[in-house]
Amino acid sequence: MNRVSFYEYQLRSVASLNARAATPLRRGALLRLECSDGGVGFADCHPWAEFGDADISVQLQSLKKKSKIEPLIQQSLRLAEVDASLRAEGKSAFNPHEQVRNHLLIRDLAQWELTQLAKVESQGFKALKIKVGREPLQEAVLINKITELSSMRIRLDFNSSIDLTVFKKFVASLSFRSCELIEFVEDPFKFDFSDWTEAQKLLPIAADFEFEHMNLKPGSNQLLPFDVLVAKPARQNIKDSLEFCQTHNLRLVVTSSMDHPVGVAHALRAASEVLIQAPSVVLDSGCLTFDQYELSDFTSQVQVLGPSLVRIQGTGIGFDVALNSLDWQPLLNFSENEV
Ligand code: MG
């Protein structure tokens, strides 16, 4: 019999997360899966109500009732299984010689000091990802300043907060150099085949949350109006995402779900796996979001060097001491093929 227990958390974000996140307080739960062979694995379940996820209590209840299990918590269980098998072998998920390079995330461009650019570049970062959409035209001015001072690639994420008209005005405000350095614009607005096709004529486009709403015909190899797929191991089977990119000639960016460090660790593990498998398809990742919340029991276990993780103390995805000291609540017992 397998056993699942949980630890519900409420975290205060250190900064505003994106153009759509209303509150810096975020709720989720860590899961502890005890397999019938005695192996134990951990994962995070961090819903984003802003993007259509059911609340954490609904996620947990759906698992407990074993009916209509929410896809997010189902994916968390799969990740916990991966962690359990790594821990059973006494292995760390992270190889210091095969590290994934990540972009630097700028959550609040207006508050970001441009004087940091030289330091960031010298640390080895090759790409900046900027959350935009609050004041697009003012943001374009700041982006032009950044590209005057640096040659790092720029990734922009609107979190579907504008429309095609604003997007066109935004692009018209960018310098030629900015347009050259912009690697992609992620989720500019709600997916609409013809509007995204228009946008793609101006700049490379990436699909993140909007990908989940596209209703693409399975197996079809139609030309898609985007160039990059942003996939989150917390939400998708990352190997399926890689296969989709290979079929449609897209590039893949693996990111964290801006979740608990346990979720971030899983994202880094999965990113490393696909990078080894297909280095020409996988671009720099976006998983270094350990500083999203103040959780020193966890973040003190993480060693980062510039754009890459060096290691996380412990076995599997790490954090052994911090995880074992939590007050786990029983949720569910089930046999192998039940959930
Ligand atoms: Mg995004």
Side-chain angles (χ1 to χ4, degrees):
M1 192 61 94
N2 296 331
R3 281 198 186 89
V4 181
S5 38
F6 71 102
Y7 172 80
E8 209 170 330
Y9 62 76
Q10 190 161 299
L11 298 173
R12 187 170 290 280
S13 171
V14 293
S16 165
L17 295 161
N18 58 55
R20 285 178 61 193
T23 161
L25 252 197
R26 305 212 45 89
R27 293 179 64 224
L30 298 180
L31 299 183
R32 180 182 187 276
L33 169 70
E34 193 181 332
C35 306
S36 44
D37 61 6
V40 173
F42 299 90
D44 182 25
C45 181
H46 191 88
W48 280 91
E50 294 85 342
F51 301 105
D53 293 336
D55 178 69
I56 188 61
S57 48
V58 176
Q59 302 275 350
L60 293 167
Q61 278 306 314
S62 79
L63 194 59
K64 194 169 184 175
K65 288 182 186 154
K66 298 179 200 162
S67 62
K68 285 199 187 154
I69 297 172
E70 292 289 332
L72 192 69
I73 201 160
Q74 181 98 63
Q75 177 65 5
S76 305
L77 267 194
R78 287 189 201 109
L79 295 178
E81 266 175 37
V82 176
D83 185 39
S85 43
L86 284 164
R87 285 177 193 272
E89 292 174 46
K91 279 187 188 164
S92 165
F94 310 105
N95 178 346
H97 304 295
E98 284 167 357
Q99 286 303 350
V100 167
R101 192 174 60 207
N102 293 272
H103 60 227
L104 181 90
L105 179 64
I106 300 177
R107 299 174 182 95
D108 191 346
L109 180 59
Q111 300 296 319
W112 204 75
E113 294 286 341
L114 296 184
T115 49
Q116 296 178 68
L117 274 172
K119 189 177 148 209
V120 168
E121 210 161 0
S122 72
Q123 285 174 335
F125 285 95
K126 302 289 182 203
L128 300 175
K129 171 159 166 177
I130 309 173
K131 292 281 185 183
V132 285
R134 295 177 184 93
E135 294 286 348
L137 299 189
Q138 290 170 27
E139 286 159 356
V141 174
L142 291 171
I143 291 160
N144 291 340
K145 283 188 185 157
I146 288 176
T147 58
E148 268 171 37
L149 297 168
S150 137
S151 53
M152 285 182 279
R153 293 186 300 276
I154 306 290
R155 302 167 162 191
L156 303 174
D157 188 358
F158 278 99
N159 284 112
S160 315
S161 59
I162 56 167
D163 59 27
L164 180 59
T165 312
V166 175
F167 182 73
K168 284 182 176 168
K169 283 186 193 156
F170 171 78
V171 177
S173 310
L174 292 170
S175 65
F176 179 71
R177 184 167 163 82
S178 292
C179 290
E180 270 191 332
L181 285 175
I182 289 175
E183 192 178 13
F184 57 77
V185 180
E186 184 175 323
D187 287 350
F189 37 83
K190 291 254 167 269
F191 182 72
D192 172 273
F193 204 95
S194 80
D195 281 1
W196 274 47
T197 306
E198 281 294 299
Q200 198 192 20
K201 288 177 189 159
L202 301 175
L203 285 172
I205 302 294
D208 178 13
F209 282 100
E210 290 303 323
F211 183 69
E212 295 178 23
H213 309 301
M214 286 183 192
N215 296 323
L216 300 170
K217 290 181 205 88
S220 114
N221 56 357
Q222 66 183 128
L223 209 55
L224 298 171
F226 56 94
D227 313 90
V228 176
L229 177 65
V230 179
K232 297 173 165 56
R235 310 184 71 83
Q236 292 109 357
N237 179 340
I238 216 70
K239 288 192 173 162
D240 293 347
S241 306
L242 175 63
E243 207 181 301
F244 184 87
C245 287
Q246 287 169 323
T247 307
H248 293 270
N249 196 24
L250 304 172
R251 296 289 170 272
L252 176 66
V253 171
V254 180
T255 75
S256 78
S257 191
M258 311 272 261
D259 40 4
H260 187 285
V262 165
V264 176
H266 269 293
L268 279 159
R269 176 198 56 71
S272 155
E273 220 173 84
V274 282
L275 180 64
I276 292 165
Q277 210 180 323
S280 61
V281 178
V282 180
L283 303 175
D284 284 15
S285 297
C287 303
L288 279 193
T289 54
F290 287 111
D291 57 348
Q292 189 70 58
Y293 309 101
E294 277 175 22
L295 274 167
S296 55
D297 285 359
F298 284 86
T299 50
S300 63
Q301 305 299 297
V302 177
Q303 193 189 344
V304 169
L305 189 64
S308 301
L309 173 81
V310 178
R311 64 188 302 224
I312 301 175
Q313 296 279 356
T315 45
I317 53 122
F319 307 117
D320 299 12
V321 176
L323 286 166
N324 287 326
S325 66
L326 296 176
D327 182 17
W328 295 98
Q329 303 295 316
L331 180 69
L332 164 77
N333 294 337
F334 66 97
S335 59
E336 284 305 325
N337 40 20
E338 246 186 302
V339 173

